[in-house]
Amino acid sequence: MGDPIQLKEEGNKHFQAGDIDKAIECYTKAIKVCQDKKVLAVIYRNRSACYLKKENYVNAASDATKAIDVDAKDIKALYRRCQALEKLGKLDMAFKDVQRCATLEPKNKAFLETLRRLGAEIQSKLKTTFSTDSRVQNMFDILFDEESEKDKKEKAANNLIVLSREDAGAERIFQNNGVTLLLNMIETGKPEMILAAVRTLSGMCTGHKARAMAIIQMVGVDKMCSIMAVDNEEIALAACNLFQCINDSLTGGDTREYGKEADLVMDPSKDLKTILLSLLEMVASKKVSGHGRDQALNLLSKNVPRKEKKEMDHSKSLFTIDHGLKKILKVCGQVPELPDQLPLTENTQLIASVLLNKLYDDLKCDPERNNFRDICDEYIKSKIDPKDMDKTIHAINCISGLLQGPFDVGNALVGRQGIMEMMVALCGSEREVDQMVAVEALIHASSKMSRASFIITNGVSLLKDIYKKTKNEKIKIRALVGLCKLGSAGGDDYSLRQFAEGSTEKLAKQCRKWLCNPQIDTKTRKWAIEGLAYLTNDADVKDDFVDDEPAMQAMFELAKSRDKTILYAVACILVNCTNSYEKKEILPELVQLAKFSKQHVPEQHPKDKKDFVDKRVKRLLKAGVTSALVVMVKAENIILTDQTKEMLARVFLALSEDPRDRGTIVAQGGGKALIPLALEGTEAGKVKASHVIAKIAAISNPEIAFPGERVYEVIRPLVNLLHTDREGMQNYEALRGLTNLAGFSEKLRVKIVKEKALPEIENYMFEENEQIRLAATECMCNLVTCKEVQDRYLEDGNDKLKLLVLLCGEDDDKLQIAAAGALAMITAAQKKLCTKMTLVTSQWLEILQRLCLHSNVQVQHRGLVIVYNVLNSDNSDLAKKLIESELLEILSVVGRAEDNPKRQEAIDAARTCLVKAMDLGLIKPFASPS
């Protein structure tokens, strides 16, 4: 087992060497075998010091206590426990420990200083506590006072919300009977009081597991659900946020170390299960408003499926499928035009489809997927009843919902015997609602052409028939969208046009006409956009659409409306018009081979060439596309899927191609909108959004492009573009963006360093590509004023400084300006680097002489500043070596030159060097002949 004394000594050696983990290991082994209480106390005391270093304050206090239990006068253990307790926020207990230390050693300055500091902190905390308590009470008094002015009440409510977002403030509200008073506010039934109360509860639950669990018990999950169920969008959203804050705190959002108190915090799994079941009940309840249902579905979408596929536990998805899948299908099947339906918003059914897709996607194996399909199959069968058309169209609408979510499940149901025949029969029904539901289902069923052969075979004639015969505009437009969808099966391949020449343009013209007609209801106009989303695969349609400014404006206005189901279709149109979709590179050799073997060869439409695309981009910008994109990105809704975000990022990238247009994008709020696109979504979408940020950051004033604190959020997307697997242009523009940001403020430079960009920037300074190497060197030039960067150059065992010196000797003027500028600033800030510079390469003097003789005055000036830094570096031998070289003659020639505004900086720098050399006694003052 080992000798405890020997193990303790080993631990001491490791501690002194700075290897804290090894020291803890040795002390722990010693504790296990030690029988002597006094020795054991010393070991505990030593391990307490280790835990302090590791910032594990709970264990540090615990070990110190064990040492004090053996010897109550162990001054080291007392002081260590004091330090740990202070860090844990237990100031009263820490004060008592340091008081005992000061009693034992009254002259110890460290103890006296700690005693004074803790005493002042306790007084300040008491003062704050008392003032906070009175403020909290005062706020509630104002809110409950019927005679208080409206402005005063609003101010009190906002103050309460702000106070709840600080941990100390939240605790004061909680301790002062705040939860009961907040419930009283909710009971008033006044929307502004309910909002303030719910937002305050959200603040109190954020990041505090124990408090969140206490609030669940005091308020009750049913009560929270009833608040979210009200027909008020703001209140439903606030209640949704409360649930999210509780979920985050209960599932790892609380990073506190509770120590022994952890036992008092109950297992949250029961509460989480109750919340999940309650949300599933809300999904299909008639008592819940449309806004409340949207938020319940949003919470399920956000918290049930796994965030990462590598996570093993997907039990929440399986539980939701078993207990709630039929409820979600019920929402998908609702037909608002029929009586006795669930309250819905414009977005509810699409949110339900997105949730179904996420649940299906989260399943791991075939048996789980089969179970999902079986439940859907059973539900659809139970609803189809030839004698009850209302039930039947509910089933068909439910299939539409599945086709918009897990397409394979919906497609399998469409293929079942009798379903397609039922859809065709409904198309011929006399009831408008039957026709609408059936046509919409046909449209959704034709989403993936490769798997919808029945629709392609029979759909065109059926939809044409409906389009010609019906006089109902709502049916007509839906039939037209179906035709548009089938007509665009060839994508942008000109040779695969489904309809006769000119037919596609006619369909598009009709869609634009409906889109611009304000007399038609919004839901029907939305279908016109759906049609254009397919038709704009055709380049003639793209050109006609961007020429039709009223149609573009109508689309942008609808994109800004409350109906967010339109986002995907609008994004599709914009991607098509800007040709920003993924293009496969076609090698000429393969084209020849395909022609020879009589295989199909994709053809590009003449109007899909670059000059046509550029014109379309300009027209979209002129029509105000950026402001529409900004509103679309702000849609805090599960409908804004990762795929939609990627498409919006693609559009932004196409719009920013011309540097002259980037100012327009910034002016309309594009800079701010790009940040969430760069941080969330598909990998391709994040990269494209980051690329646009880089393009803007490289040439814009960061304070204008990314106002306020947003400018700090820009750095991470730029650093992500520096990865070696990114394209060269992305690397280059990210480096230029970081260069601009680094030149703006010290805070931004520190943030760039914190995001671990330095190794990547240094790596690109070795790059063969001249433009990337220059951009990296310019970026480093702007970063060298940062202390952390200077420390990296001071470290031994790397070639960072050598590279900088050698880059000064390159033939590219711009590269020399950047490298010499960096060297000039870094040697001015760190005198040690002047000496180190002479040791890293034998060419340093030759390079320095070349800089000082350079024809470019900017390069020459930087070289002369480096010479001055060496003379000023307190290394007399090095200064002497410089002056004994040819540099003295160079300095004399440059310094004696006549004043010249174009070269004055260099002349003044040379003169300053000569004066410094005289001050050092290395040269004598120049005396003119008598």
Side-chain angles (χ1 to χ4, degrees):
M1 288 293 286
D3 176 26
I5 304 292
Q6 191 182 338
L7 286 165
K8 177 175 81 75
E9 293 304 323
E10 278 182 38
N12 292 351
K13 283 176 188 173
H14 287 308
F15 183 82
Q16 285 156 9
D19 194 344
I20 307 301
D21 290 329
K22 281 274 176 67
I24 291 173
E25 196 180 314
C26 289
Y27 292 141
T28 305
K29 285 179 182 174
I31 287 165
K32 286 178 182 175
V33 295
C34 185
Q35 301 296 321
D36 187 326
K37 276 192 174 183
K38 286 188 177 178
V39 175
L40 193 60
V42 173
I43 299 168
Y44 272 123
R45 186 179 73 199
N46 290 0
R47 194 170 73 169
S48 174
C50 293
Y51 283 131
L52 276 174
K53 288 270 187 191
K54 296 286 285 181
E55 297 181 9
N56 186 339
Y57 302 117
V58 173
N59 285 352
S62 174
D63 276 5
T65 302
K66 286 169 185 168
I68 294 162
D69 288 344
V70 176
D71 179 4
K73 292 182 181 179
D74 187 335
I75 203 157
K76 286 184 180 177
L78 281 165
Y79 192 60
R80 279 169 195 163
R81 187 169 72 176
C82 159
Q83 290 172 299
L85 290 169
E86 183 188 352
K87 292 290 185 182
L88 289 167
K90 298 176 182 179
L91 300 185
D92 292 352
M93 294 164 73
F95 184 79
K96 285 177 187 174
D97 279 348
V98 78
Q99 212 171 24
R100 284 168 72 187
C101 291
T103 307
L104 293 167
E105 282 189 24
K107 291 182 182 178
N108 188 309
K109 287 182 180 176
F111 297 160
L112 294 171
E113 172 56 27
T114 307
L115 191 66
R116 183 199 62 74
R117 182 170 50 76
L118 285 175
E121 281 184 31
I122 289 167
Q123 288 302 315
S124 171
K125 194 175 178 186
L126 284 169
K127 194 175 177 184
T128 307
T129 301
F130 288 131
S131 66
T132 305
D133 287 349
S134 60
R135 273 169 63 208
V136 168
Q137 194 53 53
N138 188 33
M139 286 174 214
F140 279 119
D141 289 343
I142 293 168
L143 287 165
F144 286 117
D145 184 0
E146 292 294 332
E147 293 177 12
S148 289
E149 294 170 19
K150 191 183 176 187
D151 288 352
K152 266 192 174 182
K153 281 192 172 187
E154 279 180 13
K155 195 175 179 184
N158 287 333
N159 287 343
L160 203 58
I161 295 163
V162 170
L163 194 63
S164 73
R165 288 172 185 163
E166 298 166 11
D167 192 50
E171 194 57 33
R172 295 327 305 160
I173 297 171
F174 187 78
Q175 297 294 347
N176 282 273
N177 197 31
V179 178
T180 306
L181 292 169
L182 290 167
L183 279 169
N184 292 341
M185 284 173 67
I186 291 165
E187 292 305 323
T188 63
K190 295 175 182 173
E192 65 278 7
M193 295 280 268
I194 297 170
L195 265 177
V198 173
R199 285 170 179 165
T200 304
L201 287 168
S202 296
M204 291 167 72
C205 291
T206 301
H208 200 297
K209 186 176 181 180
R211 200 159 50 228
M213 292 186 74
I215 286 169
I216 291 171
Q217 301 309 315
M218 295 168 82
V219 177
V221 175
D222 287 347
K223 181 67 181 173
M224 292 183 208
C225 289
S226 70
I227 297 166
M228 196 162 79
V230 300
D231 192 14
N232 181 308
E233 191 174 1
E234 265 195 296
I235 292 172
L237 188 59
C240 171
N241 187 48
L242 171 58
F243 272 120
Q244 192 59 53
C245 292
I246 289 170
N247 182 78
D248 292 346
S249 292
L250 267 52
T251 56
D254 184 358
T255 53
R256 283 173 186 72
E257 286 188 13
Y258 284 98
K260 288 181 179 176
E261 294 171 28
D263 298 332
L264 303 174
V265 181
M266 296 176 291
D267 176 17
S269 56
K270 189 179 175 186
D271 284 334
L272 289 167
K273 188 177 177 183
T274 304
I275 290 170
L276 180 53
L277 282 167
S278 299
L279 291 174
L280 289 171
E281 281 303 314
M282 283 186 76
V283 165
S285 169
K286 280 191 179 179
K287 294 176 184 175
V288 176
S289 70
H291 297 303
R293 202 176 318 283
D294 284 2
Q295 298 309 335
L297 290 164
N298 278 334
L299 283 165
L300 292 167
S301 266
K302 196 169 181 184
N303 299 302
V304 170
R306 291 169 292 169
K307 304 253 184 319
E308 300 281 339
K309 286 288 181 279
K310 59 187 174 188
E311 290 173 29
M312 295 307 294
D313 183 19
H314 70 318
S315 56
K316 282 192 285 186
S317 287
L318 297 176
F319 183 86
T320 302
I321 289 164
D322 288 341
H323 293 82
L325 180 53
K326 287 185 179 178
K327 293 182 172 78
I328 303 164
L329 291 170
K330 183 179 178 180
V331 173
C332 288
Q334 297 300 297
V335 183
E337 290 79 6
L338 293 180
D340 203 30
Q341 299 293 294
L342 298 175
L344 307 173
T345 70
E346 309 92 331
N347 305 316
T348 310
Q349 287 174 299
L350 190 54
I351 299 172
S353 292
V354 171
L355 173 56
L356 288 172
N357 194 48
K358 285 190 170 188
L359 290 171
Y360 188 71
D361 201 37
D362 200 40
L363 300 177
K364 291 182 182 177
C365 57
D366 287 344
E368 289 174 0
R369 292 185 195 96
N370 290 337
N371 176 52
F372 187 101
R373 291 192 194 103
D374 290 344
I375 294 171
C376 294
D377 196 24
E378 186 190 321
Y379 183 81
I380 300 297
K381 270 187 196 170
S382 71
K383 296 294 172 187
I384 290 180
D385 182 355
K387 293 175 184 175
D388 187 342
M389 289 312 286
D390 286 2
K391 275 181 81 176
T392 301
I393 63 169
H394 175 92
I396 300 298
N397 218 27
C398 188
I399 293 172
S400 279
L402 284 164
L403 288 164
Q404 291 173 84
F407 182 85
D408 290 345
V409 179
N411 198 39
L413 287 166
V414 170
R416 282 183 59 84
Q417 192 177 358
I419 297 288
M420 187 53 74
E421 289 79 1
M422 182 70 71
M423 285 159 68
V424 172
L426 284 169
C427 287
S429 168
E430 290 179 8
R431 279 204 315 179
E432 176 190 291
V433 67
D434 296 345
Q435 290 182 36
M436 277 204 308
V437 168
V439 173
E440 283 180 23
L442 281 170
I443 293 166
H444 296 308
S446 57
S447 286
K448 299 192 181 178
M449 293 298 165
S450 57
R451 308 185 216 165
S453 54
F454 179 92
I455 304 292
I456 293 171
T457 312
N458 306 287
V460 175
S461 56
L462 178 64
L463 290 167
K464 273 185 181 176
D465 201 39
I466 295 169
Y467 181 69
K468 286 174 185 173
K469 287 180 181 176
T470 186
K471 291 178 183 177
N472 187 315
E473 290 280 285
K474 291 179 181 179
I475 309 295
K476 210 176 189 70
I477 198 165
R478 283 162 173 79
L480 178 69
V481 172
L483 290 169
C484 295
K485 212 169 187 181
L486 295 168
S488 65
D492 67 341
D493 185 348
Y494 186 48
S495 61
L496 276 183
R497 291 167 68 119
Q498 298 288 309
F499 295 152
E501 190 78 38
S503 297
T504 310
E505 290 94 305
K506 282 179 188 172
L507 289 173
K509 189 177 178 182
Q510 184 60 57
C511 281
R512 295 202 311 275
K513 187 178 166 187
W514 274 320
L515 177 58
C516 296
N517 186 351
Q519 305 301 316
I520 298 174
D521 66 285
T522 306
K523 195 174 178 183
T524 305
R525 287 168 70 205
K526 183 190 85 175
W527 280 100
I529 292 178
E530 290 277 352
L532 288 166
Y534 298 104
L535 293 173
T536 46
N537 278 309
D538 184 295
D540 287 316
V541 173
K542 298 177 200 182
D543 254 31
D544 291 345
F545 180 71
V546 296
D547 282 339
D548 188 344
E549 192 155 332
M552 282 197 288
Q553 294 294 345
M555 183 180 80
F556 295 157
E557 286 309 309
L558 281 172
K560 295 174 186 177
S561 70
R562 288 160 63 111
D563 185 350
K564 300 302 175 193
T565 57
I566 207 168
L567 295 182
Y568 184 78
V570 174
C572 283
I573 292 171
L574 295 174
V575 164
N576 289 339
C577 288
T578 55
N579 280 38
S580 49
Y581 39 74
E582 201 70 53
K583 300 175 192 76
K584 287 182 183 175
E585 195 176 338
I586 301 169
L587 298 172
E589 296 86 359
L590 289 177
V591 172
Q592 292 302 319
L593 188 64
K595 282 180 179 175
F596 179 74
S597 57
K598 295 183 180 176
Q599 295 294 313
H600 168 68
V601 180
E603 288 178 30
Q604 187 186 39
H605 193 291
K607 288 186 180 177
D608 271 332
K609 289 179 180 169
K610 191 176 184 310
D611 52 342
F612 281 95
V613 176
D614 291 345
K615 282 177 191 171
R616 290 202 290 267
V617 166
K618 298 287 181 193
R619 284 175 190 153
L620 284 166
L621 281 164
K622 190 181 173 187
V625 66
T626 309
S627 59
L629 288 169
V630 169
V631 174
M632 289 166 76
V633 171
K634 282 181 187 170
E636 281 192 37
N637 205 305
I638 223 76
I639 288 174
L640 189 67
T641 59
D642 289 349
Q643 194 182 354
T644 309
K645 286 177 192 170
E646 182 186 325
M647 289 200 290
L648 297 180
R650 287 178 182 278
V651 174
F652 267 121
L653 188 57
L655 297 175
S656 66
E657 206 57 49
D658 185 342
R660 291 169 297 183
D661 294 329
R662 292 172 201 169
T664 307
I665 293 169
V666 169
Q668 294 179 6
K672 292 178 283 185
L674 282 160
I675 296 169
L677 293 179
L679 297 173
E680 297 168 4
T682 65
E683 194 57 36
K686 288 191 286 188
V687 169
K688 289 182 190 308
S690 300
H691 195 180
V692 187
I693 288 174
K695 285 173 180 285
I696 291 170
I699 61 169
S700 307
N701 179 335
E703 282 188 331
I704 295 170
F706 313 103
E709 295 297 307
R710 286 190 184 90
V711 71
Y712 299 102
E713 296 175 49
V714 164
I715 291 164
R716 184 171 295 168
L718 295 184
V719 174
N720 287 340
L721 282 186
L722 296 181
H723 295 164
T724 48
D725 57 348
R726 304 281 180 251
E727 293 171 14
M729 184 54 77
Q730 291 168 349
N731 300 152
Y732 171 69
E733 294 195 293
L735 286 165
R736 288 189 64 216
L738 288 168
T739 303
N740 193 15
L741 292 168
F744 213 80
S745 76
E746 180 64 16
K747 266 188 170 182
L748 284 168
R749 287 191 283 275
V750 170
K751 177 71 175 167
I752 290 169
V753 173
K754 277 187 179 173
E755 290 291 344
K756 298 179 181 165
L758 283 181
E760 302 283 4
I761 296 166
E762 287 161 356
N763 182 39
Y764 286 117
M765 287 170 74
F766 288 94
E767 177 67 43
E768 284 181 26
N769 182 293
E770 290 177 6
Q771 282 185 299
I772 292 177
R773 183 174 53 174
L774 171 61
T777 310
E778 286 176 337
C779 190
M780 187 56 74
C781 180
N782 281 359
L783 285 168
V784 290
T785 55
C786 190
K787 181 73 170 63
E788 287 90 336
V789 180
Q790 293 167 13
D791 290 342
R792 286 174 75 89
Y793 276 89
L794 284 166
E795 289 169 6
D796 291 326
N798 62 63
D799 289 334
K800 293 180 178 63
L801 190 62
K802 181 180 178 180
L803 176 64
L804 212 51
V805 177
L806 293 175
L807 288 174
C808 290
E810 291 287 321
D811 292 331
D812 182 346
D813 281 13
K814 286 182 180 177
L815 186 59
Q816 283 183 298
I817 289 168
L823 197 57
M825 285 191 283
I826 206 165
T827 50
Q830 298 290 342
K831 291 182 177 181
K832 288 180 185 175
L833 289 174
C834 294
T835 306
K836 188 177 178 182
M837 175 181 73
T838 66
L839 303 173
V840 292
T841 172
S842 57
Q843 299 171 43
W844 70 274
L845 188 56
E846 183 193 332
I847 289 169
L848 205 50
Q849 288 170 354
R850 282 180 61 195
L851 290 176
C852 295
L853 284 168
H854 208 286
S855 58
N856 185 318
V857 69
Q858 290 187 54
V859 178
Q860 186 182 33
H861 174 236
R862 285 158 174 74
L864 292 163
V865 171
I866 297 166
V867 172
Y868 174 80
N869 293 341
V870 174
L871 293 170
N872 194 41
S873 67
D874 303 334
N875 185 335
S876 53
D877 292 339
L878 183 55
K880 190 178 177 184
K881 187 174 180 179
L882 268 189
I883 296 302
E884 287 174 353
S885 73
E886 292 173 15
L887 264 171
L888 178 59
E889 190 181 339
I890 295 167
L891 291 172
S892 301
V893 170
V894 178
R896 285 177 182 172
E898 288 182 16
D899 285 357
N900 178 348
K902 290 182 179 177
R903 306 194 70 85
Q904 199 59 43
E905 281 186 328
I907 294 166
D908 289 344
R911 289 170 183 172
T912 309
C913 290
L914 290 168
V915 170
K916 185 66 185 175
M918 282 188 272
D919 292 344
L920 294 170
L922 298 172
I923 58 173
K924 291 178 183 177
F926 177 75
S928 53
S930 56

